[in-house]
Amino acid sequence: MSLNIIDLIKGQLGSALVTQAASQLGESESGISKAIGGLLPAVVGGLANNSNNASVLDAIQAAPSQGVLGNLLGLASNNSWVQGLLASIFGDKLGGLVNSIATYAGISNNSSASLLSLVTGATVGSVGKYAADNNLDQSGISGLLNDQKGIVSSLLPAGLSLASLNVGDWAKGYKFDNDNDAIKNSPISTPTPIPTPVSNEEPKINVTKSVAEGGTFPDRPTTSDGGSIWKCEKKETTTTTAVAGDSLNTTTDSSTMKNDTATTMATTKVDENIDLNGTALKGYKGGMEDTMITFLKSGSYASAADDAALKENWYNFDHVNFKMGSASELEAGSQGQLENLVAILKAYPEAKIKIGGYTDKVGNEAANVKLSGERATYIKNWLAKQGVGAQVTGADGYGSKFATVDAAASNDERAVDRKMAVRFTK
């Protein structure tokens, strides 16, 4: 499964930055969010189209040393480095893109141009950091950018297509049809959307999606105008490894799964500070961390008489994803949520948990059970290495036992059945 660049940059374009940008540019927060939602896929698509452009690859490699991610708002002020990069990416189509986004978001052309610089800096900086952290040379970076051609089609908000953004003929290689335009040339498959709530039973399991109000991937709040950071028409994301028949995801062992992965179309979720007894964890309001902490703070865990009183409540991971077919390799961006879980367990040393793995109905069931179990065990063992092993009482794989979507359904529809989850135990 290709890495989605969105997973690398979602933490850079949060609500705090939107507020600051709105103040700096004199625009409404809804207009800023809406513009970012349109610019982000355009920039990712532009980079993908320039995956073999030496100047673009040089800029990505240089981004970490230039401190790009620490000065995103500064990049919005006619930064020469970003301007040169944008010229390499979009050429003479740059003005048309700026104008299209300004019209779409209801902001000035100057603000649109400033936000384009900001979003480009966030994207290039995040990719550059990932490349440095993973020792990618220019060939590796080129491959990563080229992979986005199969992912970028799910990112545009409703009403926009690359054609409407005036970015040129290269847009025809991408399958954008959010505004029913005629661009359908590429047979590239779209990425798995973020799972929606499911009801599973073991004999009886209610799956409850713990999603933020109006929220889905990558990050939270939508505006009254329908704009939001990374407003996606589908959602995956981030979120859980959604691979056809690849085992992962469905709820299980008798429970109401509090799922904070995502659900419907065209929404967004933004990482916020979730309070853990004075320590701020990055997560979604109403997401896994938030609902687990709320449950513990309420005293419900302490007052639970036995395990039977707890097994109805599951919490789905929304950022923990394994590479396709693997039970030992996590996708980039997964470790952060596991570290949050460690922090929660250390803050509540009396709390105990169990890990569950789930798959859709595609493939051999014995293989699905094996893979989902191995993934659950991997997480259990990882937690043990962080010093909280005594609090993890078990790890089970349920294969497709609790899957609700027919095997003949589309991969996107089956994504709801592929997940990893955690519940409290006694």
Side-chain angles (χ1 to χ4, degrees):
M1 180 179 182
S2 300
L3 171 69
N4 188 338
I5 285 179
I6 294 302
D7 289 337
L8 302 179
I9 62 179
K10 62 187 177 188
Q12 304 298 329
L13 302 176
S15 56
L17 181 139
V18 169
T19 299
Q20 294 171 19
S23 175
Q24 178 173 309
L25 299 175
E27 303 283 0
S28 67
E29 290 187 24
S30 62
I32 296 297
S33 291
K34 197 171 184 181
I36 290 176
L39 286 168
L40 184 58
V43 170
V44 172
L47 289 173
N49 187 59
N50 284 271
S51 60
N52 294 313
N53 185 322
S55 63
V56 171
L57 297 176
D58 287 341
I60 290 174
Q61 284 191 312
S65 63
Q66 295 195 20
V68 172
L69 294 180
N71 185 37
L72 292 180
L73 287 173
L75 298 180
S77 304
N78 199 30
N79 181 281
S80 59
W81 176 79
V82 175
Q83 293 307 309
L85 179 58
L86 285 171
S88 295
I89 296 173
F90 295 107
D92 61 1
K93 305 299 180 183
L94 187 58
L97 171 61
V98 168
N99 183 66
S100 295
I101 290 295
T103 300
Y104 166 72
I107 61 177
S108 71
N109 273 31
N110 285 340
S111 294
S112 177
S114 294
L115 290 174
L116 175 57
S117 295
L118 185 156
V119 170
T120 301
T123 304
V124 171
S126 296
V127 175
K129 181 178 185 303
Y130 176 81
D133 290 345
N134 291 273
N135 298 313
L136 295 184
D137 57 13
Q138 289 202 353
S139 176
I141 296 172
S142 176
L144 174 62
L145 295 181
N146 194 57
D147 285 345
Q148 304 311 301
K149 292 179 180 179
I151 296 173
V152 72
S153 60
S154 68
L155 304 182
L156 280 172
L160 281 182
S161 70
L162 285 185
S164 70
L165 292 179
N166 298 308
V167 291
D169 292 340
W170 62 267
K172 295 178 181 178
Y174 298 77
K175 183 183 175 185
F176 282 94
D177 195 30
N178 292 331
D179 64 346
N180 297 315
D181 61 281
I183 301 179
K184 296 183 180 178
N185 303 13
S186 172
I188 299 169
S189 61
T190 56
T192 306
I194 290 182
T196 54
V198 198
S199 292
N200 303 302
E201 316 216 339
E202 186 197 342
K204 182 175 182 178
I205 299 176
N206 290 323
V207 175
T208 304
K209 213 107 180 93
S210 95
V211 191
E213 311 160 40
T216 259
F217 163 78
D219 285 58
R220 203 154 300 140
T222 55
T223 69
S224 57
D225 294 335
S228 60
I229 307 176
W230 316 328
K231 180 179 177 189
C232 305
E233 264 315 284
K234 316 193 212 199
K235 268 60 203 138
E236 137 310 304
T237 147
T238 145
T239 340
T240 62
T241 304
V243 190
D246 170 29
S247 132
L248 216 203
N249 302 340
T250 282
T251 77
T252 148
D253 173 329
S254 105
S255 77
T256 288
M257 308 210 55
K258 298 216 182 238
N259 197 350
D260 68 301
T261 19
T263 156
T264 56
M265 321 228 313
T267 52
T268 16
K269 297 196 287 188
V270 178
D271 280 338
E272 300 179 13
N273 288 331
I274 305 299
D275 177 58
L276 175 62
N277 302 333
T279 298
L281 303 181
K282 285 297 182 182
Y284 300 157
K285 195 69 178 174
M288 189 195 84
E289 292 88 343
D290 187 33
T291 50
M292 289 184 75
I293 292 169
T294 298
F295 183 77
L296 290 166
K297 286 182 176 180
S298 71
S300 298
Y301 178 80
S303 62
D306 52 30
D307 191 63
L310 298 168
K311 65 189 304 183
E312 296 300 320
N313 298 309
W314 282 82
Y315 306 81
N316 285 350
F317 288 103
D318 51 335
H319 289 312
V320 177
N321 306 297
F322 286 85
K323 292 184 178 180
M324 181 170 62
S326 173
S328 60
E329 293 182 273
L330 292 169
E331 292 281 5
S334 298
Q335 187 164 315
Q337 188 160 48
L338 290 175
E339 291 173 346
N340 284 350
L341 180 56
V342 170
I344 293 171
L345 292 175
K346 288 185 175 180
Y348 292 90
E350 75 284 359
K352 291 180 172 58
I353 62 167
K354 175 181 179 178
I355 306 297
Y358 311 89
T359 78
D360 61 21
K361 294 182 178 181
V362 171
N364 178 273
E365 180 60 10
N368 282 346
V369 171
K370 181 176 183 290
L371 182 58
S372 59
E374 289 175 346
R375 285 175 167 175
T377 298
Y378 177 88
I379 292 177
K380 179 178 182 291
N381 292 339
W382 187 92
L383 292 171
K385 292 176 183 177
Q386 314 310 310
V388 293
Q391 292 174 257
V392 186
T393 65
D396 290 319
Y398 301 94
S400 65
K401 181 177 180 180
F402 301 105
T404 60
V405 180
D406 190 87
S410 70
N411 185 52
D412 288 355
E413 292 171 317
R414 296 194 314 274
V416 67
D417 287 332
R418 302 190 296 268
K419 64 175 68 70
M420 300 301 293
V422 55
R423 74 169 178 89
F424 289 113
T425 65
K426 281 288 188 177

